[in-house]
Amino acid sequence: QVTVRDALNQALDEELERDERVFLLGEEVAQYDGAYKISRGLWKKYGDKRVIDTPISEMGFTGIAVGAAMVWLRPVCEFMTFNFSMQAIDQVINSAAKTCYMSAGSIAVPVVFRGPNGASAGVGAQHSQCFAAWYGHCPGLKVVSPWSSEDAKGLLKASIRDDNPVVMLENELLYGVPFEMSEQAQSKDFVVPIGKAKIERQGTHVTLVSHSRPVGHCLEAAAVLAKEGVECEVINLRTIRPMDIEMVEASVVKTNHLVTVEGGWPQFGVGAEICARIMEGSAFNYLDAPAVRVTGADVPMPYAKILEDNCLPQVKDIIFAVKKTLNI
């Protein structure tokens, strides 16, 4: 069993060792071992040139990372929370995402932007937003969103090796959660291909599609519903852009029902995109009921715990949505 934190640390360690062009930068990533201890031990091992503490200036250090990537270094840029990436969104979108296209492919920008995304616990509206829909909206970026330790390690390694800018949206509440990790996943060659979803549980009655922490909620809901004779197929998206819509379509053809689950807001969200893509494709003909979205509440996140809990999708909300879809 390996925690998500240790899986990310393993991935960074292996990639720093494998390729001398890889370096880390961000607030407190070096001497303090990282705000979330993701980079624990790496500064001591690799030194000041490879693990760099930056001032509290997101636009500044993100610009440094993008510029370094343009001259074929491979920076991994940590945001203490993705909410702070709004300070640097001009660099992420205008400098990183658009450069390869605008240079007709002659300038690659192999940079990874990573850090915690979405709601944590009791940190207020300015630290609780999910950016999957924001960054998933922009061509030129790849966007990944891991759930398990295997996802975290494999996707981070794949992101560092990719020649495109990649946004990696982690979840702070998952950092300390241990997951089973196969021997294969613990090898230095292990990567999770970007753009491929994973079926976490096979089922025949309804398809549940999710990413990041809500994947765990979907599996819990599926376990409860299984006792009532309802078999849910749970798909872990892993990648927001490019999205593996083929796997979702194949599952909908099998189950004839679709429920999407996400922690972000409903309007223009990841679930909205999935529902639209299914409606536009041939899988629409197999739906026996309208697709249903389970999302965060359409409000800035309240600070009080009981209100926060009511703003985020819970297991009971997923069960309710499945029963509504199946009309039971």
Side-chain angles (χ1 to χ4, degrees):
Q1 291 225 323
V2 180
T3 63
V4 171
R5 174 181 289 110
D6 290 342
L8 290 165
N9 181 269
Q10 257 180 47
L12 290 171
D13 189 8
E14 288 169 12
E15 292 305 301
L16 282 160
E17 187 176 41
R18 190 185 74 90
D19 187 344
E20 62 184 18
R21 295 172 299 171
V22 176
F23 70 98
L24 316 184
L25 77 167
E27 293 150 3
E28 300 188 335
V29 297
Q31 295 182 39
Y32 187 68
D33 276 344
Y36 306 98
K37 300 296 177 260
I38 303 299
S39 51
R40 184 192 287 133
L42 299 179
W43 174 68
K44 285 191 180 77
K45 185 171 178 182
Y46 295 101
D48 288 325
K49 283 194 170 178
R50 306 287 302 280
V51 185
I52 302 165
D53 276 333
T54 63
I56 301 172
S57 172
E58 275 74 16
M59 176 164 265
F61 70 72
T62 305
I64 288 169
V66 174
M70 287 176 178
V71 291
W72 280 101
L73 295 175
R74 291 188 172 268
V76 180
C77 175
E78 178 180 304
F79 295 119
M80 205 176 279
T81 151
F82 256 94
N83 298 265
F84 301 161
S85 75
M86 293 163 87
Q87 300 288 334
I89 201 161
D90 182 53
Q91 300 286 14
V92 177
I93 305 301
N94 278 328
S95 301
K98 297 176 182 176
T99 293
C100 186
Y101 187 80
M102 291 177 73
S103 66
S106 65
I107 304 174
V109 189
V111 58
V112 179
F113 306 106
R114 56 156 295 274
N117 169 70
S120 179
V123 290
Q126 307 98 317
H127 301 81
S128 299
Q129 186 175 335
C130 175
F131 285 85
W134 275 45
Y135 287 119
H137 179 68
C138 301
L141 286 180
K142 293 185 177 181
V143 183
V144 299
S145 180
W147 166 60
S148 66
S149 300
E150 199 166 293
D151 292 352
K153 181 180 179 184
L155 286 170
L156 181 50
K157 286 172 75 80
S159 300
I160 291 169
R161 296 179 189 190
D162 202 290
D163 286 341
N164 297 280
V166 182
V167 170
M168 181 156 174
L169 305 170
E170 299 151 15
N171 187 286
E172 186 184 334
L173 297 175
L174 288 174
Y175 283 154
V177 178
F179 288 89
E180 288 286 335
M181 238 174 133
S182 63
E183 266 187 55
Q184 179 203 2
Q186 294 193 53
S187 86
K188 291 187 177 182
D189 302 319
F190 176 74
V191 292
V192 168
I194 294 173
K196 284 297 294 174
K198 183 186 179 191
I199 296 174
E200 299 287 350
R201 180 185 175 121
Q202 297 279 353
T204 50
H205 294 126
V206 61
T207 299
L208 295 176
V209 186
S210 190
H211 67 96
S212 192
R213 188 165 172 254
V215 174
H217 296 345
C218 288
L219 289 169
E220 286 178 50
V224 172
L225 287 160
K227 293 173 184 167
E228 300 178 32
V230 176
E231 291 298 332
C232 302
E233 183 144 296
V234 178
I235 295 178
N236 171 10
L237 276 177
R238 284 180 161 178
T239 306
I240 306 299
R241 184 182 189 104
M243 191 179 280
D244 189 359
I245 208 70
E246 292 80 11
M247 183 177 285
V248 180
E249 284 180 333
S251 181
V252 168
V253 167
K254 180 167 73 168
T255 67
N256 312 116
H257 299 89
L258 174 64
V259 174
T260 68
V261 185
E262 65 190 303
W265 293 319
Q267 190 157 326
F268 314 117
V270 175
E273 173 66 16
I274 293 166
C275 291
R277 297 276 281 275
I278 291 298
M279 193 194 76
E280 289 167 354
S282 58
F284 174 71
N285 300 315
Y286 291 84
L287 279 176
D288 288 343
V292 172
R293 291 179 294 160
V294 179
T295 69
D298 199 19
V299 295
M301 185 63 72
Y303 186 71
K305 184 176 185 337
I306 191 161
L307 292 175
E308 183 179 67
D309 288 346
N310 280 297
C311 281
L312 292 168
Q314 306 294 334
V315 173
K316 61 180 174 55
D317 302 317
I318 300 167
I319 292 170
F320 178 81
V322 168
K323 288 185 171 180
K324 177 183 165 188
T325 307
L326 295 174
N327 200 22
I328 54 176

